[in-house]
Amino acid sequence: MSSTTAAEHLSATTLLRFATAGSVDDGKSTLVGRLLHDSKSVLADQLEAVEHASRSRGQEAPDLALLTDGLRAEREQGITIDVAYRYFATARRRFILADTPGHVQYTRNMVTGASTAELTVILVDARNGVVEQTRRHAAIAALLRVPHVVLAVNKMDLVAHEESVFARIAEEFTAYATELGVPEVTAIPISALAGDNVVEPSATMDWYGGPTVLEHLETVPVSHDLTGCHARLPVQYVIRPQTAEHPDYRGYAGQIAAGTFRVGQEVTVLPSGRTSRISGIDLLGTPVDVAWTPQSITLLLEDDIDISRGDLIVPSGDAPATSQDVEATVCHVADQPLTVGQRVLLKHTTRTVKAIVKDIPSRLTLDDLSQHPEPGQLVANDIGTVKVRTAEPLALDAYADSRRTGSFLLIDPADGTTLAAGMAGESFASEKSAEKSAATPADDAGWDF
């Protein structure tokens, strides 16, 4: 392995993507502001602007929530509306933070922020305990297969730093999250306003012997290292320079979505099913013997076969099934509803195909995880099960197996608007639906698959 490649691999394994979520007034923006401030990740002019804005409101201490709530409406209403991404680093790890809204009407924004996260911090007000919105956030984290969840019990200073209050909330939330299938929950008592257990250990809660929020973020094992997963390379571009130096060069470029590829490995191209063997791998213009996610590479094959953008290169012994029928859980993110019979575009990795929504069997009620049968449509922020028929075969993994190659988007073909974000396969709460009639809706003329 070259020194450059080793450095890239080290860099990839020291990046943590995490999201925050919490109900209104749980102190989420204050927590994020405190985390940035106490980890020395705030520029002097940013802090000065926050101090000035706080003084103009009659506040003596700087309101650290203003570091994250950047939209005017957010500051006026004291709520988070859109996803805000923050980039910061410590000596031990780099971070990409997605600060997501807590309101139920912004469920789609939380789904967006948590979709790429390896960890989610869910805030709870110690005075209120686990509320309906807390359960909703836990359900979304479980639905998106976020591997690590931190329960930050905030405002401990308002309950006299009582250990019993923290223990009761942590026990209730952990039991609920475990029932949903969340693999790991870490509960931390904090006061975001005072900074207790955010970056520095609390002097007033000496009964707690666990990590601070930042310490946990710095040490939690990152699970986005997908080198051991099913190897997948979506083809983004076919490279044929046809120059005097490279007259016969034909390479297939893309970013490895998961797994590892090696020279000499037998591979299959989907959806055609043609097979060949890797004759070379180019990484940043340099030949290498092995490459892994998330590196961007160019594969060279021993045989000249028909491969184009949108095809998926996989190991021959580990190929996903191809199908034109997709059953998935989707979060509807557009203002216009998604209806049965609607014509859409389905974008999966680098491949985009025409599709028809054949059925919407159920809508998920996140409050109690019940299924509302045959809703007929999904509107903004709804999460439900859909059945889609595509014009061409697709090679989708189950989302439970691969968040990268098990996810897709549904797009409005008229204006390119994203309609829904999909996760192939069964959701955590759904039972296998009974088989329904495959009759084509009457308005499918022209999109007959």
Side-chain angles (χ1 to χ4, degrees):
M1 182 188 305
S2 69
S3 59
T4 301
T5 304
E8 288 176 347
H9 190 234
L10 177 63
S11 174
T13 57
T14 56
L15 170 68
L16 176 70
R17 297 175 181 268
F18 73 100
T20 59
S23 302
V24 180
D25 294 331
D26 277 354
K28 179 174 56 62
S29 294
T30 303
L31 169 64
V32 174
R34 173 65 65 183
L35 190 63
L36 295 174
H37 177 270
D38 289 6
S39 64
K40 307 296 190 294
S41 300
V42 180
L43 298 177
D45 59 339
Q46 291 177 309
L47 184 59
E48 184 179 343
V50 167
E51 291 173 343
H52 180 271
S54 301
R55 285 194 300 270
S56 67
R57 296 180 174 189
Q59 297 170 303
E60 295 183 4
D63 183 358
L64 297 180
L66 299 179
L67 286 171
T68 56
D69 288 338
L71 298 179
R72 181 177 179 181
E74 293 179 326
R75 297 192 178 197
E76 289 176 348
Q77 299 179 49
I79 63 174
T80 302
I81 295 174
D82 202 0
V83 181
Y85 291 94
R86 296 290 182 266
Y87 306 85
F88 69 102
T90 66
R92 305 175 72 177
R93 180 169 280 173
R94 295 180 298 118
F95 302 95
I96 299 178
L97 184 162
D99 185 24
T100 68
H103 279 64
V104 61
Q105 63 264 39
Y106 302 128
T107 298
R108 55 186 174 181
N109 301 70
M110 183 190 171
V111 169
T112 299
S115 63
T116 59
E118 290 94 40
L119 181 147
T120 296
V121 179
I122 298 178
L123 256 75
V124 170
D125 188 324
R127 299 170 299 175
N128 303 326
V130 176
V131 296
E132 177 182 302
Q133 192 69 339
T134 310
R135 291 189 288 271
R136 182 176 291 110
H137 291 152
I140 292 175
L143 184 69
L144 293 173
R145 267 62 176 200
V146 179
H148 305 282
V149 171
V150 171
L151 173 69
V153 182
N154 193 24
K155 304 188 180 181
M156 288 295 296
D157 52 313
L158 300 183
V159 294
H161 304 101
E162 284 290 337
E163 181 180 5
S164 59
V165 174
F166 167 74
R168 174 179 52 80
I169 295 172
E171 182 179 0
E172 180 182 354
F173 179 86
T174 301
Y176 182 76
T178 301
E179 183 180 349
L180 292 174
V182 174
E184 179 184 283
V185 176
T186 300
I188 304 175
I190 68 169
S191 170
L193 188 64
D196 290 338
N197 287 334
V198 178
V199 173
E200 300 296 334
S202 171
T204 56
M205 291 183 280
D206 53 4
W207 46 263
Y208 172 73
T212 65
V213 173
L214 182 61
E215 183 182 355
H216 183 69
L217 294 176
E218 288 181 322
T219 57
V220 66
V222 290
S223 57
H224 67 282
D225 181 8
L226 304 175
T227 55
C229 300
H230 307 288
R232 304 287 186 259
L233 176 68
V235 176
Q236 183 173 358
Y237 191 69
V238 179
I239 299 177
R240 290 205 66 199
Q242 296 180 300
T243 62
E245 185 181 359
H246 301 286
D248 300 316
Y249 187 99
R250 184 194 297 264
Y252 309 101
Q255 183 183 44
I256 301 177
T260 302
F261 289 93
R262 300 177 183 275
V263 172
Q265 184 177 15
E266 184 178 340
V267 294
T268 298
V269 181
L270 299 175
S272 69
R274 295 188 176 94
T275 62
S276 185
R277 196 173 297 275
I278 298 175
S279 60
I281 302 174
D282 286 347
L283 175 66
L284 299 176
T286 302
V288 296
D289 293 329
V290 60
W292 51 78
T293 182
Q295 293 173 336
S296 295
I297 64 169
T298 301
L299 279 189
L300 291 82
L301 303 181
E302 292 180 354
D303 305 291
D304 289 337
I305 57 181
D306 183 14
I307 301 176
S308 58
R309 174 182 171 87
D311 287 349
L312 189 68
I313 299 178
V314 302
S316 294
D318 186 24
T322 59
S323 176
Q324 290 181 254
D325 294 299
V326 178
E327 182 170 357
T329 300
V330 303
C331 176
H332 193 61
V333 300
D335 292 329
Q336 64 267 39
L338 184 73
T339 58
V340 175
Q342 187 170 346
R343 300 161 183 165
V344 296
L345 297 176
L346 189 153
K347 178 175 174 54
H348 173 247
T349 63
T350 57
R351 187 178 187 85
T352 302
V353 299
K354 292 180 178 180
I356 294 176
V357 179
K358 304 292 286 187
D359 192 16
I360 304 178
S362 62
R363 184 182 71 243
L364 179 66
T365 303
L366 287 174
D367 302 339
D368 57 6
L369 305 182
S370 63
Q371 297 283 352
H372 177 76
E374 302 297 338
Q377 66 176 15
L378 296 178
V379 298
N381 300 304
D382 276 351
I383 294 176
T385 304
V386 299
K387 293 184 177 180
V388 177
R389 174 77 172 176
T390 61
E392 305 168 27
L394 288 177
L396 276 82
D397 288 294
Y399 185 80
D401 296 331
S402 173
R403 296 172 77 189
R404 291 284 302 278
T405 54
S407 58
F408 61 87
L409 297 176
L410 297 182
I411 299 170
D412 188 337
D415 58 11
T417 300
T418 298
L419 300 173
M423 295 150 280
E426 300 286 329
S427 69
F428 63 87
S430 66
E431 298 294 335
K432 189 159 185 67
S433 303
E435 292 298 321
K436 298 183 180 298
S437 170
T440 302
D443 62 346
D444 283 351
W447 292 58
D448 186 11
F449 312 147

